[in-house]
């Protein structure tokens, strides 16, 4: 009798490969916002402004702020424009040895905002500077002159009655100090005197 046939050897199961997994996709990053080009005026630009009131060597003192309004529009690159009437804020400095008026530019009002600027200021060559001897009899006039200039600066830059009142108070104080001085020679720039401002650094619009 023949021996039974050996049991068939089972084949090893074939492993089924796992489905390929797509690599994780990083979330898209929004590109960084690119700031728009700066608009403004370049260094070397000249601004011509006219004062709103007379400026006198006794009624006004170094440190007093004065407003000159731009006489003509000024255009810069990229359609940047300062319209006529733009307030330019300047400050009186210590007068020169020959008594000449010296000013420093502080800021320019752009779109309702005061923007600090750097530059030089000179008085127009055609401005007639007057001189007069002032005694205590003219004290009241000096006080009133200081108040008027302060009120104009307050109204133009402050945009309301409150600014005018504050400006008038500061101007009157300056005039009062001047009134305490003895008789001296007072030099005055007339209302509407032209001041030329030359920018020494770019004026960037806000």
């Amino acid at each position: 009798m023949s021996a039974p046939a050996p049991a068939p050897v089972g084949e090893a199961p074939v492993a089924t490969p796992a489905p390929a997994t797509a690599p994780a996709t990083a979330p898209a990053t929004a590109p960084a916002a690119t700031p728009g080009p700066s608009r403004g005026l370049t260094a070397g630009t000249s601004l011509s402004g006219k004062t709103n009131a007379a400026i006198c060597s006794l009624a006004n003192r170094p440190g007093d702020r004065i407003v000159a309004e731009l006489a003509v529009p000024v255009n810069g690159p990229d359609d940047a424009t300062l319209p006529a009437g733009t307030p330019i804020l300047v400050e009186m400095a210590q007068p020169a040895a020959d008594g000449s008026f010296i000013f420093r530019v502080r800021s320019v009002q752009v779109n309702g905002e005061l923007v600090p600027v750097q530059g030089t200021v000179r008085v127009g060559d055609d401005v007639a500077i007057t001189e007069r001897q002032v005694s205590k009899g003219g004290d009241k006039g000096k006080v009133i002159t200081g108040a008027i200039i302060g009120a104009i600066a307050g109204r133009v830059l402050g945009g309301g009655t409150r600014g005018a009142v504050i400006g008038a108070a500061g101007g009157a104080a300056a005039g009062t100090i001047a009134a305490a001085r003895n008789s001296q020679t007072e030099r005055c720039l007339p209302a509407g005197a032209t001041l030329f401002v030359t920018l020494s650094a770019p004026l960037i619009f806000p």
Side-chain angles (χ1 to χ4, degrees), residues 71-105:
V72 295
V74 176
N75 299 317
D78 302 319
D79 297 325
T81 301
L82 281 182
T86 294
I88 304 170
L89 186 64
V90 299
E91 178 182 278
M92 284 189 67
Q94 192 70 29
D98 62 357
S100 301
F101 287 91
I102 304 296
F103 298 96
R104 293 183 288 260
V105 62

Side-chain angles (χ1 to χ4, degrees), residues 88-159:
I88 304 170
L89 186 64
V90 299
E91 178 182 278
M92 284 189 67
Q94 192 70 29
D98 62 357
S100 301
F101 287 91
I102 304 296
F103 298 96
R104 293 183 288 260
V105 62
R106 288 304 188 190
S107 56
V108 174
Q109 187 167 303
V110 182
N111 299 327
E113 181 178 337
L114 285 176
V115 181
V117 296
Q118 301 176 36
T120 58
V121 184
R122 69 175 180 86
V123 179
D125 296 332
D126 59 343
V127 176
I129 299 177
T130 60
E131 292 187 355
R132 62 178 180 174
Q133 291 297 320
V134 178
S135 64
K136 289 190 175 182
D139 291 349
K140 181 178 179 181
K142 291 199 286 297
V143 173
I144 293 174
T145 300
I148 291 174
I149 293 177
I152 289 173
R155 184 169 65 253
V156 172
L157 300 175

Side-chain angles (χ1 to χ4, degrees), residues 12 24 29 39 44-45 65 87-88 124 127 138 146 188 198:
T29 303
R39 299 174 61 248
T45 301
R65 301 293 175 90
I88 304 170
V127 176
C188 293
T198 301

